Structure formats: structure tokens, C-alpha cells
Amino acid sequence: AVLILCQYQIMPMFENTKIVANAASPSPSALPRRRRKQVVSLLLPPITAGQSLNDSSSGFLLCTAGRLRYAAIASVALALLLLARSGKKNEKSHDEMMETLTGSSRPFQYIGDLDPSEPQPWPEEEEDWHALHETLVKRVEESDASSSNQVKDHLPQLVFYGDSITEGWNGTSFGNLPGQHRMWTTGEDESIRDVFANAFGDKSDWGERALKPPLVLGISGSRTYDFIWRVVNGEFPVSSLLNKEGAIDNNRDDDVFPIEQLERIYILLMGTNNLGGGMLPEPTLKGMDAAGRTILQLHEKHFPNTPAAMLFSELLPRKDDFRAIKMCPPRCKNVDTLEPFQSFMPAIKKVNRALPNLLDGLREDFKNSRIILLSANNVTSEIGASKQNGNTMHSYTPVINCGHEMFAFDDIDELDVYMPDRLHPNAKGYKLWSHCLQKGLDVIMSR
């Protein structure tokens, strides 16, 4: 194209034209440095006075060289423009890809009018949900029937409660390998199970010393009301793990938390699916409070006068914004104009801000307990003893700020490394999160 322009368009325009000195035009040396640089780099190569532009030995080559220089500059500019547009396009296509793949997951179901604290199972036609519940009940029964590991320096049995993120420790969704919408790579499920085994299971120090192997009791899509129903209908272990020699000493100091008598630690993550179903933050909090209370009440019922411990997790960040948009209608930011919510994050932050006060209420009502809040805040936590209202029973750090270990990333690309669908962790994400959980366990077991 450059050759054609020079041969048939540019050259004829300057036929028999010669370059002469122009006193009105400043020389490059007289120009400011920045402008002089532009002149030298962008215009045609230097042409001496008296040189003809249509001279076959100089003009054509000069024209071609100049045009090539312009072409190179234009190519670089075009490449930069395309690269910038590509970044925006890739960001959009990531959301579109997630939305397309989510077609293989369950459709939106509005639950905003349900009581989040009233136990209620899923409809009977949800056969996979009921089948998995029965499977989990059998696992609890098998755990109760097994003998406990009576070692000198024993550790409590871990019981993980929750939704799809908790079930994900098994590498499953509704008991099966998750669909494409989870965006896991091949073999991701095995990698996650291996992470769990190394952190809490049979490959870990905790697993070797635990009174019994851990229980993972999560079902994808669970909300607070169906979780409560699950727990009161068989998903709660009721066997005592310590023998008579390990029984509670009735003469012990009531101001000292009896770590050595702690049989189980309950780890709870629940509530994001309430928001995902169109429920507002206030009723979601009501359901989360009821979920925690249900566990602690069952503990008091089956193990009276024995200590209880709980890791209560904040809602993890989620950036699957297309699901928030799809809730409208009926759940809209502005019902009159049908303006949808653009993100779940404002609701999640509102819920998480209220959790410290919520857990204070649980501690007040269940005094023989240690309850730790796992937070995504980036403020460094001082792990260890700290008095709470002068009561040494609660002399422990009540909040663990995990920051990045609970996926508190400002950079969406960094979040995608650990949560490819921006809702569920992958193997890297579960490994990161396990560090936060281990910090909470360390606080519970601190003396």
C-alpha cells in the first residue's frame, strides 16, 4: 500500500518540486526540545535543499521510508487500542461465560417472603437434595456408632456445616461432580479433597489426634431455614466422645473454660443463599442467628454441662453480579423503575457488619461456649487471650480478621485465581481459606 501511494498518488503531486530553504520555517534546532523530537521522529527523513522529490534515486525512497514510518506508528497505536479493548472484552466475556455456564445450574427461586428461622425442607421433587440429606444422616449415624480415638492429647472432632462451599470440601455438588458452571479444572475435586485431608483430615496433625474423623455436612443451595431442618432431622452427632475419666469435673473453676472436655467444634458458614434467593440482609441475619442457636441448643440438649465451641464465618465475598441483576423482578433496587441490584456485595457487607453484635448475643445466652467470628477484614488480629466483659470464660480473641485468606481481594483478576466462578473456591481457594480456619481453631484451643 505504501509503494502504491508513493508511485501513483504522492509522487505526482510533487513532480518537479524541489526543497528550498524557507526562512519563515524554524529549523529543528530552533524548536523546543520536545517539539524538535517530534519533528525528527515523525516527518520524512532529512532532505537537503535542491533535492527533487520525484528523483528516482531519492524521492521515491524518501517517500517510501516516510510512509513506512507513519505505518509503523499507526500499527503500534492500533495494537495498543486493540489491547485495551481486548481487556474490556475479556472482562465482559468472563461474565457472559459464567452466565452461559450457569444455565446448567438451578434457576433463580425467590424466597424473600419465607421465614428464614422456621425449619423447612426443600420440596419433595428436589430428589437430589433429599437424597444427599439422607446420605449425610447416615454419615452422622456411622460416626456416632464408631469408637473414639482415646489419645492423651486428643483434639475435638470437627463438624463442618453449610451450603455448597462447605459441600465443596468433598469435591461435590448435591453429591456429584459439579457442573461446568463451577469452572473447576479437571481433577479439581481430587485436589480439594487432598487439601482437606492435609489440613483437617487423616493426613493432618489434627486428624491424627482428633477424637473422631471430621464430618462435612454441607448441601449446595442451602438456606438458613432448610439448614435448621436438616440439623434437627438427623444431621447432628449425638454420641459422647470422652470416657468416664474424661467427664466434666463438677468441682472445677467455673471461670476457666475446660478445653480438655471439649468434644466437638462446630464450623458454620451459612446465609449467602438467602441473599441469592432475594432475601434482604435483616431477615438473612435472623436466619443466621437461628442457625447458630439451633446448633448450640442441640449441644446443650445432648451434652448438658459440657463446653461448646463454634467457628462462625462471615459471608464470603461473591462477585457473580449477573445473578444479582437477574433477581429483578421481584427483588429490585427500585421496584417502580425495575432497576436491578448490580452486586451482592452491599448486602453481604451489611450482614457482616452486624455479625459481631449477633455473636455477642449467642455468647451471652450460651455461656459455656467459645464462639469465634471469622472475618474477611484485613486488620491484623492479635491471636490469644483478651478479656471480654471481665469474664475469663470468654478470655479469647472473639474475631479473627483473615483478609485475603477469606478472599478479600480488590483486584477481580486475583479473585478469579481462587474463585473462578466468583462464588465458589477452587483447590487454591480452599487451601487459602484453610489457613483462616486453622487460625480460628488455634484460638478455640488456646488456654
Side-chain angles (χ1 to χ4, degrees):
V2 169
L3 295 176
I4 292 173
L5 282 172
C6 285
Q7 182 69 35
Y8 297 104
Q9 182 176 350
I10 305 299
M11 295 301 298
M13 293 173 56
F14 296 97
E15 187 173 2
N16 297 321
T17 300
K18 295 190 178 193
I19 301 298
V20 295
N22 188 346
S25 300
S27 66
S29 61
L31 294 172
R33 181 167 184 171
R34 184 168 180 173
R35 189 179 168 198
R36 183 167 69 245
K37 184 176 180 181
Q38 293 174 345
V39 170
V40 172
S41 61
L42 295 180
L43 296 181
L44 295 174
I47 303 174
T48 59
Q51 188 175 19
S52 175
L53 281 176
N54 66 334
D55 182 75
S56 59
S57 62
S58 58
F60 184 78
L61 292 178
L62 287 170
C63 177
T64 303
R67 282 290 160 177
L68 286 174
R69 182 170 297 186
Y70 278 116
I73 294 170
S75 298
V76 172
L78 180 60
L80 291 174
L81 177 62
L82 291 176
L83 183 62
R85 295 185 63 184
S86 175
K88 295 181 179 179
K89 184 177 181 180
N90 288 339
E91 175 66 25
K92 182 179 180 181
S93 56
H94 187 286
D95 291 340
E96 290 176 344
M97 179 171 60
M98 288 194 300
E99 187 171 0
T100 301
L101 293 176
T102 304
S104 61
S105 66
R106 293 171 182 270
F108 171 71
Q109 179 188 12
Y110 180 69
I111 62 166
D113 297 329
L114 296 179
D115 186 341
S117 62
E118 183 67 26
Q120 179 179 330
W122 280 29
E124 293 183 1
E125 56 266 26
E126 299 284 0
E127 296 179 358
D128 51 358
W129 186 92
H130 286 275
L132 182 51
H133 166 64
E134 292 301 323
T135 298
L136 298 183
V137 170
K138 290 179 181 178
R139 289 179 187 172
V140 171
E141 292 173 348
E142 292 171 355
S143 176
D144 281 341
S146 66
S147 58
S148 57
N149 183 20
Q150 298 292 332
V151 295
K152 182 179 180 180
D153 297 324
H154 67 264
L155 292 171
Q157 181 185 29
L158 302 179
V159 184
F160 293 79
Y161 281 122
D163 47 37
S164 57
I165 297 175
T166 298
E167 185 187 349
W169 282 118
N170 287 327
T172 63
S173 175
F174 292 102
N176 302 302
L177 188 66
Q180 291 182 334
H181 59 280
R182 191 68 62 90
M183 300 181 71
W184 285 355
T185 60
T186 303
E188 199 87 47
D189 56 321
E190 296 179 2
S191 298
I192 293 172
R193 287 191 290 269
D194 192 57
V195 169
F196 184 84
N198 282 288
F200 313 110
D202 55 6
K203 297 180 182 180
S204 68
D205 177 66
W206 194 288
E208 292 179 356
R209 296 168 54 194
L211 290 167
K212 285 188 178 181
L215 286 168
V216 177
L217 306 176
I219 298 183
S220 297
S222 278
R223 295 107 179 190
T224 55
Y225 57 84
D226 66 78
F227 167 74
I228 297 170
W229 185 92
R230 288 166 42 201
V231 175
V232 299
N233 284 275
E235 290 187 37
F236 187 84
V238 296
S239 62
S240 295
L241 304 184
L242 294 173
N243 55 31
K244 292 182 180 180
E245 296 176 352
I248 289 290
D249 181 5
N250 292 324
N251 295 319
R252 65 177 171 83
D253 185 351
D254 287 338
D255 286 339
V256 177
F257 188 78
I259 291 292
E260 68 280 357
Q261 308 302 330
L262 190 61
E263 297 187 352
R264 289 185 177 89
I265 299 176
Y266 308 105
I267 301 168
L268 177 61
L269 174 63
M270 178 59 57
T272 194
N273 288 318
N274 287 50
L275 298 176
M279 193 171 285
L280 294 173
E282 290 78 8
T284 296
L285 283 163
K286 177 183 177 182
M288 294 171 70
D289 179 72
R293 288 180 180 277
T294 299
I295 294 172
L296 296 172
Q297 288 168 352
L298 286 171
H299 181 92
E300 283 191 341
K301 174 183 176 181
H302 293 284
F303 313 108
N305 302 318
T306 63
M310 177 181 290
L311 290 183
F312 198 112
S313 179
E314 282 188 352
L315 299 186
L316 300 182
R318 58 184 296 179
K319 301 294 181 68
D320 54 332
D321 298 341
F322 67 93
R323 288 190 177 95
I325 296 172
K326 280 190 170 183
M327 291 193 303
C328 180
R331 177 61 68 209
C332 305
K333 186 175 182 180
N334 188 316
V335 179
D336 295 332
T337 62
L338 294 183
E339 178 188 358
F341 288 99
Q342 298 296 319
S343 172
F344 287 108
M345 287 308 299
I348 286 177
K349 290 178 180 179
K350 187 172 184 179
V351 168
N352 288 344
R353 284 195 298 268
L355 289 180
N357 288 335
L358 186 152
L359 294 195
D360 282 343
L362 293 181
R363 296 186 189 101
E364 182 65 27
D365 295 340
F366 300 93
K367 297 185 183 300
N368 195 22
S369 64
R370 277 191 172 180
I371 304 172
I372 307 292
L373 176 63
L374 301 179
S375 171
N377 286 333
N378 284 306
V379 180
T380 303
S381 300
E382 184 178 349
I383 299 178
S386 62
K387 288 188 177 182
Q388 295 290 307
N389 300 323
N391 185 349
T392 55
M393 275 289 288
H394 300 289
S395 296
Y396 60 92
T397 306
V399 179
I400 304 299
N401 295 316
C402 293
H404 287 176
E405 292 174 349
M406 280 186 66
F407 314 107
F409 297 109
D410 294 328
D411 187 344
I412 193 68
D413 292 331
E414 195 169 6
L415 179 67
D416 289 344
V417 173
Y418 301 98
M419 279 184 166
D421 71 344
R422 301 179 182 175
L423 176 60
H424 302 92
N426 56 12
K428 290 182 180 179
Y430 277 106
K431 186 174 183 179
L432 189 69
W433 187 34
S434 70
H435 300 321
C436 176
L437 296 172
Q438 288 167 332
K439 289 178 181 178
L441 295 175
D442 289 343
V443 172
I444 287 179
M445 299 305 297
S446 62
R447 295 181 182 274

